[in-house]
Amino acid sequence: MYCCLCDIALLLAALAALIFILLLIVAHVTAKKMPNLHRLEEEKHFIDSKGKKEPFPSIHDPPTRDLSVVVPSYNEEERLPVMMNEAMEYLEQRQKKQPSFSYEVIVVDDGSKDKTTEVALKYCKKYGSDKVRVLTLKKNRGKGGAVRMGVLVSRGKLILMADADGATKFADIENVEVGLEKLKPWPEKLAISCGSRAHLEKESIAQRSMFRTFLMYGFHFLVWFLCVRRVRDTQCGFKLLTREAAARTFSALHVDRWAFDVELLYIAQCLSIPVAEVAVNWTEIEGSKLVPFWSWLQMGRDLLFIRMRYLTGAWNIDTSGKLK
């Protein structure tokens, strides 16, 4: 009986090792070696408030603004105005109190099928293209791809990622700024401050089904086990980066879909970029693009492949990439 159990255990171990090796091979073979930094000709320009085409700058140019806000948007014609009204009111009031403060908001339309671009252009006309710019991607890249395209044409010394649904109160930028400041002295001006909903976890569990709670904990475990151990909430779409940190991480980013935040923080971890995690206010807004089971499944697969592709050398952290 004992020998039989040993044989079964050895067989299961061998099977697990074989599956692991096969997954490594699949992850390596199917990997796109380089980040997708290619742009169509139309994506290299924005329309100014007078309707004229102007070329986007590069994050590798010297900064000319204090803050850039990048807003990835896919079919957000209904939710975008709420977020933009709140953001613009805050930024305009801050500029009145602090005249030297300069900012820009870059709305990235990720191949929307609705009027997201038209809605965003209304803010460009109202505030001017020096403050609001619209980058319209001709094909959907995914949230990670949209954020990357916006970040890499930013002009700010600091760059904030902010979701179009307005789930996080924009004024919480002050909290993440404090988190960033506490990381000083920044090595080579590299630092990231992440908004976090981890403090709301108990409350959210009370409102979730047991199945969704299981998925959440499973995802958190995979993130911790495979990739990132310093940040509890990797998925909050409210992150503030120094220009230098944004250039290094987003130039090397491969993942275009939901798990891009995890790869971003994994790259930061590998480059020893200090990261702060700061509690922010957050409200669940209807209209989320996440489909609970399938989105979690996709993210779980992406997490596994992120780790395996870096492990096998299919992906490398090359921070010299530039938009093409």
Side-chain angles (χ1 to χ4, degrees):
M1 182 67 177
Y2 178 75
C3 291
C4 184
L5 289 174
C6 287
D7 289 343
I8 293 172
L10 287 172
L11 181 62
L12 290 174
L15 184 60
L18 178 61
I19 292 172
F20 180 72
I21 292 169
L22 286 174
L23 282 173
L24 281 176
I25 293 170
V26 170
H28 187 87
V29 170
T30 59
K32 292 181 179 179
K33 306 299 181 185
M34 301 299 292
N36 181 13
L37 301 177
H38 177 73
R39 292 179 297 173
L40 298 175
E41 192 60 35
E42 305 96 305
E43 297 170 347
K44 297 178 181 180
H45 302 83
F46 65 93
I47 304 298
D48 67 16
S49 53
K50 297 180 180 179
K52 183 181 176 183
K53 275 188 177 182
E54 295 288 346
F56 275 111
S58 167
I59 197 171
H60 299 288
D61 299 333
T64 58
R65 295 292 177 273
D66 292 313
L67 176 69
S68 292
V69 181
V70 176
V71 186
S73 307
Y74 177 65
N75 292 341
E76 294 288 5
E77 66 171 304
E78 293 184 4
R79 299 196 299 180
L80 183 62
V82 177
M83 180 272 167
M84 285 295 291
N85 290 340
E86 182 185 356
M88 296 307 296
E89 181 180 357
Y90 171 87
L91 292 167
E92 287 290 289
Q93 288 298 320
R94 182 165 175 172
Q95 193 172 61
K96 286 179 182 178
K97 294 177 183 177
Q98 185 185 344
S100 62
F101 172 73
S102 57
Y103 73 88
E104 67 173 348
V105 177
I106 302 172
V107 178
V108 185
D109 181 347
D110 189 22
S112 296
K113 298 175 182 178
D114 64 0
K115 297 180 180 179
T116 296
T117 287
E118 289 87 335
V119 169
L121 284 173
K122 290 179 181 178
Y123 291 89
C124 173
K125 291 179 181 178
K126 180 177 180 179
Y127 294 97
S129 56
D130 204 40
K131 290 184 174 179
V132 179
R133 294 181 174 182
V134 183
L135 168 54
T136 302
L137 303 179
K138 295 302 175 182
K139 292 183 180 180
N140 177 266
R141 288 175 178 258
K143 185 179 178 182
V147 174
R148 178 175 55 213
M149 290 296 105
V151 166
L152 295 181
V153 298
S154 297
R155 296 176 289 165
K157 295 176 185 176
L158 299 178
I159 299 172
L160 176 74
M161 295 161 42
D163 287 344
D165 61 6
T168 304
K169 292 298 179 184
F170 197 84
D172 276 352
I173 185 177
E174 296 174 12
N175 295 336
V176 291
E177 283 177 326
V178 170
L180 204 64
E181 285 293 317
K182 287 182 178 179
L183 294 173
K184 282 186 173 179
W186 301 331
E188 300 180 53
K189 298 183 180 180
L190 300 171
I192 300 173
S193 183
C194 301
S196 174
R197 303 159 297 182
H199 63 294
L200 300 172
E201 196 168 277
K202 289 184 179 179
E203 180 183 334
S204 66
I205 288 172
Q207 299 173 4
R208 279 193 173 104
S209 67
M210 187 178 294
F211 179 64
R212 291 190 68 182
T213 298
F214 172 77
L215 289 176
M216 180 188 72
Y217 277 125
F219 179 76
H220 288 337
F221 173 76
L222 285 177
V223 169
W224 177 87
F225 183 72
L226 295 171
C227 300
V228 178
R229 299 195 172 185
R230 294 183 294 175
V231 179
R232 288 175 64 196
D233 181 9
T234 58
Q235 300 309 110
C236 181
F238 205 71
K239 294 180 175 67
L240 184 68
L241 303 88
T242 61
R243 185 175 186 81
E244 292 75 13
R248 290 206 187 181
T249 54
F250 278 96
S251 294
L253 192 72
H254 296 81
V255 175
D256 283 339
R257 299 288 164 183
W258 299 108
F260 84 95
D261 301 80
V262 177
E263 190 195 0
L264 176 76
L265 294 171
Y266 177 78
I267 293 169
Q269 187 172 275
C270 291
L271 296 175
S272 299
I273 297 175
V275 178
E277 187 171 14
V278 181
V280 295
N281 294 300
W282 185 83
T283 306
E284 189 165 352
I285 306 296
E286 290 185 6
S288 172
K289 307 300 186 296
L290 272 171
V291 180
F293 178 74
W294 295 111
S295 295
W296 289 109
L297 196 64
Q298 182 187 54
M299 285 193 282
R301 180 205 63 189
D302 287 347
L303 290 178
L304 187 61
F305 277 17
I306 287 169
R307 191 71 185 92
M308 288 183 166
R309 284 167 175 166
Y310 280 109
L311 186 65
T312 62
W315 288 352
N316 293 297
I317 299 176
D318 180 0
T319 63
S320 62
K322 294 187 178 182
L323 285 171
K324 300 170 186 177

